[in-house]
Amino acid sequence: MKITMQEGRLTVPDTVTVPYIEGDGVGAEITPVMKQVVDAAVHKAYAGARSIEWMEVLAGGKAHAQTGEWLPQATLDAFTNYLVGIKGPLMTPVGGGIRSLNVALRQTLDLYVCQRPVRYFSGVSSPVKHPEWVDMCVFRENTEDIYAGIEWAAGTAEATKLYRFLHEEMGVTKVRFPETSAYGIKPVSQEGSERLIRSAIRYALDHDLPSVTLVHKGNIMKFTEGGFKQWGYALAEREFGDALASGKLVIKDCICDAFLQNALTRPKDYSVIATLNLNGDYVSDMLAAQVGGIGIAPGANINYQTGHAIFEATHGIAPDIAGKNIVNPCSLLLSAVMMLDYMGWKEAGELITQAIEQLFTKGYATADLARFMEGGTTMGTQEFAAALINEL
């Protein structure tokens, strides 16, 4: 049965169909593991009263091998119709085709929020002194900025035409080497900024979090990133004035390079981060490194207006370790926890999170984490999943 969106809220049946993309490379290992653990947690949490019917859809290398397409229309239709889905990592075609399958999915379904929660798990080794101070949720705008892919290669007729327009029509004189320059366009809209920041503010209020920080580079890009900041403050005053006045909501901003420093030296100052696309890419990976790395970093791409959401592993396909039963499945597992939470099945997600932390605390993990743990015990992907299920 399908999840539906009614009056701005998800309606989730007790037996629900969830489309999934297995993914390329290590996706073939972590996706089956994720399904096994999620099924066990759902069964445990609800005593068999709820369940997921998994429906595989194709994208990436597996899709191309079977259909000749990298992203079949049937896959887009499935995510459109069933609203909520999950995916493993995908390869990107080299030398032509789609620039990025992940970006194509986000833009086609207008998944304007990339949500990346970052928190520390006890037992995990970290390069920073107090990783337990890091507890943030990044809201990264997902559809605009330079990720819109509006660019032209140096030496092309299009690049020459664009420079001529900029120089002759717009009076631009600051392109130092016009004949060998490539060009990119950075669109940042008021509507796109506001819907991202609104989602971040609502998340903060719903979870009783103390602040939302607008992270930007408005001191240099005054009309794009500076606009993001100004529109954010104006939105907060206009739509959340009561929360601001009561002190329940605090809105602040920080220049991105300063934030990257502050997140290392005083991370307790931040809880919810709202930022643009490129900044969010850097910020979320930097924060993940403080708590153990991208192998335990979950992610979601969400449209809170339509209800559409795709949860995903945030790492790549890792072909060098694919098939060796050593990959860490926790990025996808924790993304599945986010999915369960989004569906309103929080109890099942909490079981998975608790089980992961219990294993880490005991020093049990896959090789990427166990080798840095004091007295750590290395487990294979399958063995780690089996231990998780036993720990639920």
Side-chain angles (χ1 to χ4, degrees), residues 244-300:
L244 287 170
S246 68
K248 188 176 182 182
L249 173 66
V250 173
I251 300 289
K252 53 187 177 179
D253 74 277
C254 189
I255 302 296
C256 190
D257 46 318
F259 174 80
L260 293 171
Q261 174 178 267
N262 295 345
L264 283 168
T265 58
R266 43 191 178 94
K268 286 183 177 181
D269 289 355
Y270 304 102
S271 52
V272 178
I273 308 303
T275 191
L276 291 138
N277 212 331
L278 181 61
N279 295 338
D281 203 354
Y282 297 151
V283 163
S284 55
D285 281 11
M286 182 277 291
L287 292 174
Q290 294 188 58
V291 298
I294 203 164
I296 54 173

Side-chain angles (χ1 to χ4, degrees), residues 26 88 102 160 183 199 208 233 255 301 331 334 383:
V26 295
N102 294 323
T160 300
Y183 298 91
S199 298
D208 295 318
Y233 276 117
I255 302 296
N301 303 285
S331 176
L334 291 169
E383 292 72 24

Side-chain angles (χ1 to χ4, degrees), residues 100-327:
S100 166
L101 293 169
N102 294 323
V103 172
L105 283 166
R106 295 166 190 168
Q107 293 186 345
T108 301
L109 296 170
D110 196 24
L111 305 175
Y112 59 86
V113 170
C114 178
Q115 188 182 125
R116 295 279 298 271
V118 186
R119 54 150 289 190
Y120 176 67
F121 285 88
S122 178
V124 175
S125 180
S126 168
V128 299
K129 191 171 183 179
H130 289 289
E132 70 278 7
W133 292 353
V134 179
D135 189 1
M136 304 183 208
C137 189
V138 177
F139 277 68
R140 167 190 173 192
E141 203 290 317
N142 227 0
T143 63
E144 299 189 318
D145 201 357
I146 61 173
Y147 280 71
I150 307 169
E151 59 177 350
W152 296 272
T156 61
E158 292 83 0
T160 300
K161 184 177 181 180
L162 179 63
Y163 172 71
R164 186 179 300 120
F165 169 76
L166 292 173
H167 183 64
E168 297 177 2
E169 301 293 329
M170 303 298 291
V172 172
T173 60
K174 295 182 179 180
V175 180
R176 191 171 297 277
F177 303 108
E179 294 182 359
T180 58
S181 290
Y183 298 91
I185 302 294
K186 178 187 176 78
V188 177
S189 71
Q190 181 175 350
E191 292 87 347
S193 299
E194 286 183 347
R195 65 182 185 173
L196 180 281
I197 295 164
R198 182 182 295 113
S199 298
I201 291 174
R202 286 177 175 166
Y203 181 90
L205 292 173
D206 289 344
H207 292 80
D208 295 318
L209 297 171
S211 67
V212 176
T213 304
L214 309 175
V215 174
H216 61 92
K217 193 64 179 168
N219 58 327
I220 302 299
M221 291 168 275
K222 298 183 184 300
F223 304 120
T224 50
E225 306 229 354
F228 179 86
K229 167 193 167 182
Q230 293 170 1
W231 294 324
Y233 276 117
L235 171 78
E237 290 285 353
R238 186 172 68 249
E239 297 186 11
F240 301 95
D242 291 345
L244 287 170
S246 68
K248 188 176 182 182
L249 173 66
V250 173
I251 300 289
K252 53 187 177 179
D253 74 277
C254 189
I255 302 296
C256 190
D257 46 318
F259 174 80
L260 293 171
Q261 174 178 267
N262 295 345
L264 283 168
T265 58
R266 43 191 178 94
K268 286 183 177 181
D269 289 355
Y270 304 102
S271 52
V272 178
I273 308 303
T275 191
L276 291 138
N277 212 331
L278 181 61
N279 295 338
D281 203 354
Y282 297 151
V283 163
S284 55
D285 281 11
M286 182 277 291
L287 292 174
Q290 294 188 58
V291 298
I294 203 164
I296 54 173
N301 303 285
I302 303 172
N303 184 319
Y304 282 101
Q305 297 167 344
T306 65
H308 288 98
I310 298 178
F311 300 81
E312 64 180 357
T314 59
H315 54 73
I317 65 173
D320 57 321
I321 62 171
K324 297 181 180 180
N325 192 40
I326 61 175
V327 62

Side-chain angles (χ1 to χ4, degrees), residues 119-132 288-296 328 330 334 356-366 368-370 372-374 384:
R119 54 150 289 190
Y120 176 67
F121 285 88
S122 178
V124 175
S125 180
S126 168
V128 299
K129 191 171 183 179
H130 289 289
E132 70 278 7
Q290 294 188 58
V291 298
I294 203 164
I296 54 173
N328 186 345
C330 287
L334 291 169
I356 289 174
E357 187 144 36
Q358 286 165 7
L359 288 183
F360 287 166
T361 301
K362 295 174 183 178
Y364 294 108
T366 48
D368 59 317
L369 298 180
F372 298 115
M373 294 174 171
E374 186 175 350
F384 183 78

